[in-house]
Amino acid sequence: MTDPLTLYLAAPRGFCAGVDRAIRIVEMAIEKWGAPVYVRHEIVHNRFVVDGLRAKGAVFVEELEDCPADRPVIFSAHGVPKAVPAEAARRGMTFVDATCPLVSKVHIEAERHHENGLQMVMIGHAGHPETLGTMGQLPEGEVLLVETVADVAAIAPRDPAKLAFITQTTLSVDDTAGIVAALKARFPAIVGPHKEDICYATTNRQEAVKAIAPKIDALLVIGAPNSSNSRRLVEVGRAAGCGYAQLVQRAPDIDWRALEGARAVGLTAGASAPEVLVNEVIDAFRDRYDVTVERVETAREDVEFKVPRVLRQPA
């Protein structure tokens, strides 16, 4: 007799519109120009997705110099520094920018503030591709990076009265609020974004985790270790009272011993994790337990982003 277990399935979860668009861009580029098509950096942070596109003819590289000039190159959903498309144009390359439109919005915001004579403070994770891409929109020294409330006390802006802040789109809403409060306390004149930089999908997925947290003994987040938004979901679960919250890439990564005695488990997926992996995990639970699936929906998402015009035109 298998033990009963309730799986609380967070909704929204998984693919967001920016990820969906980026994957379609790679697939359409392969259809239009044939293989191989080069992609600078992982198109999205998910090994299953990247491996699937590699099998179709995508070649993933870290830098533009690793790409031949006679094949198309795609820039990842996380965005790239301005120098990258400039270099691609200089080399006469065909390139398609798959930067998420919500990341592009932050890039435009940063440029606008720069034109108005403001120095930028970016709330983000050092070394993350999105942070590198956003900081790379402006000249060296024009963007100061802060990761924590403590960092706010350490920055030395050119003119404390001429500052604006932007954020990485995949951060924890709650953690970022604390950093923003510290910035405003130290720099009362600092200018913020018209609308929150943290994207709708990141916010929605975090809210769904908060909604299931009181009902569950453990939380599993399907996502990659290098996926910022997936790692934030684990942190949000822990902060909301989940004694056990774990990031898993796929069903074989689940630590079943850690789940012994659990009767209610929450399940969500980061914005770059496909639904097929969610179903794989549900099936793995069904192999071991008498499972009841309860869906907890906190928002409806109907956002869709168009692919660039170059891919909608015949070759």
Side-chain angles (χ1 to χ4, degrees), residues 107-298:
H107 290 181
I108 293 162
E109 215 176 301
E111 287 201 67
R112 198 185 69 240
H113 287 315
H114 177 62
E115 283 162 12
N116 293 334
L118 302 182
Q119 192 176 12
M120 302 302 309
V121 177
M122 175 155 195
I123 304 170
H125 295 295
H128 187 279
E130 187 189 324
T131 300
L132 295 172
T134 300
M135 292 179 75
Q137 299 306 303
L138 301 184
E140 190 80 30
E142 287 303 303
V143 187
L144 305 171
L145 180 66
V146 296
E147 297 192 73
T148 63
V149 168
D151 290 344
V152 173
I155 56 171
R158 209 172 30 240
D159 180 347
K162 290 190 170 177
L163 281 180
F165 74 87
I166 49 176
T167 74
Q168 192 177 318
T169 60
T170 54
L171 301 178
S172 154
V173 175
D174 298 336
D175 290 352
T176 306
I179 299 171
V180 169
L183 282 169
K184 287 179 174 172
R186 186 174 168 206
F187 308 109
I190 197 165
V191 178
H194 289 306
K195 187 179 177 296
E196 181 72 84
D197 284 340
I198 296 174
C199 86
Y200 78 93
T202 299
T203 306
N204 287 348
R205 279 150 193 69
Q206 290 177 15
E207 288 302 319
V209 165
K210 289 179 193 172
I212 60 175
K215 309 171 189 285
I216 58 179
D217 306 313
L219 173 72
L220 294 182
V221 177
I222 301 166
N226 60 343
S227 162
S228 173
N229 78 85
S230 302
R231 288 170 61 182
R232 301 296 79 78
L233 290 174
V234 175
E235 290 168 8
V236 167
R238 286 178 185 151
C242 282
Y244 179 81
Q246 200 57 48
L247 184 69
V248 294
Q249 297 203 66
R250 301 197 59 172
D253 303 329
I254 297 169
D255 182 352
W256 297 104
R257 281 179 310 181
L259 298 176
E260 272 172 24
R263 288 289 162 264
V265 173
L267 186 58
T268 188
S272 41
E275 189 65 8
V276 63
L277 300 186
V278 176
N279 293 330
E280 179 186 276
V281 167
I282 294 171
D283 288 343
F285 271 94
R286 288 205 163 114
D287 288 344
R288 289 165 175 81
Y289 297 93
D290 176 14
V291 172
T292 305
V293 176
E294 295 258 354
R295 199 162 167 276
V296 179
E297 184 175 74
T298 54

